[in-house]
Amino acid sequence: MTEKAFEKMIRENKGTIYTVCYMFSNDKDEVADLFQEVLINLWKGSDTFRGESSQGSWIWKVSLNTCISHDRKAKHSLRTEPLSMDIDLFEDKDERTLQVGMLRERISKLGVLDRAIVLLWLENLSYDEIGQVVGITAKNVSVRLVRIKEQLKKL
């Protein structure tokens, strides 16, 4: 993939990447670090992307895997340079952002896989696409979503 094609892909999908990172951290700086780590992983994997799934599904999968891996291990010592983003759900205080914050707070109490499933579901991905991204069957996605919704109602 050329640099220009990669830049275009990131411009078109930075909202998705940021949303995934935002759902996996409570810290603005850590979200920025996760965002950059996802970009690095996308760049490293761009030549091996085989097109077996859509580019969007691939970006979701890389973003989620990066955040899940980061969630499982201690912070790495690699220092990164901050990247400017147009989106900032930590600073905006309009009604929609407040609702997103409340939803995020509840979702953050779920397990890692359940958080990933909810996030993909909220982005209107089909059960098949969600299953493809997280590595489970569409039927399993359906069952997990029912359980997740019940859990969220209790919260």
Side-chain angles (χ1 to χ4, degrees), residues 8-115:
K8 181 179 185 269
M9 178 184 74
I10 297 305
R11 257 193 321 276
E12 292 171 354
N13 293 284
K14 73 180 178 181
T16 296
I17 298 166
Y18 183 82
T19 300
V20 172
C21 296
Y22 177 76
M23 290 306 243
F24 277 85
S25 177
N26 294 321
D27 180 68
K28 185 176 180 178
D29 292 332
E30 187 177 29
V31 169
D33 288 346
L34 283 170
F35 187 90
Q36 288 184 21
E37 196 171 330
V38 170
L39 293 184
I40 290 167
N41 289 338
L42 287 170
W43 177 253
K44 285 179 180 176
S46 64
D47 289 335
T48 60
F49 174 62
R50 297 183 306 259
E52 292 173 1
S53 62
S54 71
Q55 189 178 59
S57 291
W58 176 70
I59 289 169
W60 273 106
K61 190 167 194 157
V62 171
S63 299
L64 284 168
N65 286 341
T66 301
C67 292
I68 289 169
S69 292
H70 179 24
D71 200 50
R72 287 185 180 153
K73 61 186 175 184
K75 274 193 174 249
H76 55 66
S77 60
L78 178 65
R79 294 297 304 157
T80 55
E81 201 58 37
L83 179 66
S84 172
M85 294 175 269
D86 300 344
I87 304 166
D88 189 351
L89 295 176
F90 288 100
E91 298 296 326
D92 293 341
K93 297 297 179 204
D94 63 9
E95 181 68 26
R96 183 177 181 277
T97 304
L98 293 174
Q99 288 177 341
V100 169
M102 288 172 29
L103 179 61
R104 180 181 170 278
E105 182 182 321
R106 289 184 178 143
I107 291 172
S108 71
K109 294 178 181 169
L110 298 172
V112 174
L113 182 61
D114 289 346
R115 271 190 273 168

Side-chain angles (χ1 to χ4, degrees), residues 117-135:
I117 291 170
V118 168
L119 183 57
L120 295 167
W121 179 75
L122 288 171
E123 289 292 327
N124 295 317
L125 270 68
S126 70
Y127 287 5
D128 287 329
E129 290 172 311
I130 294 170
Q132 192 176 42
V133 170
V134 298

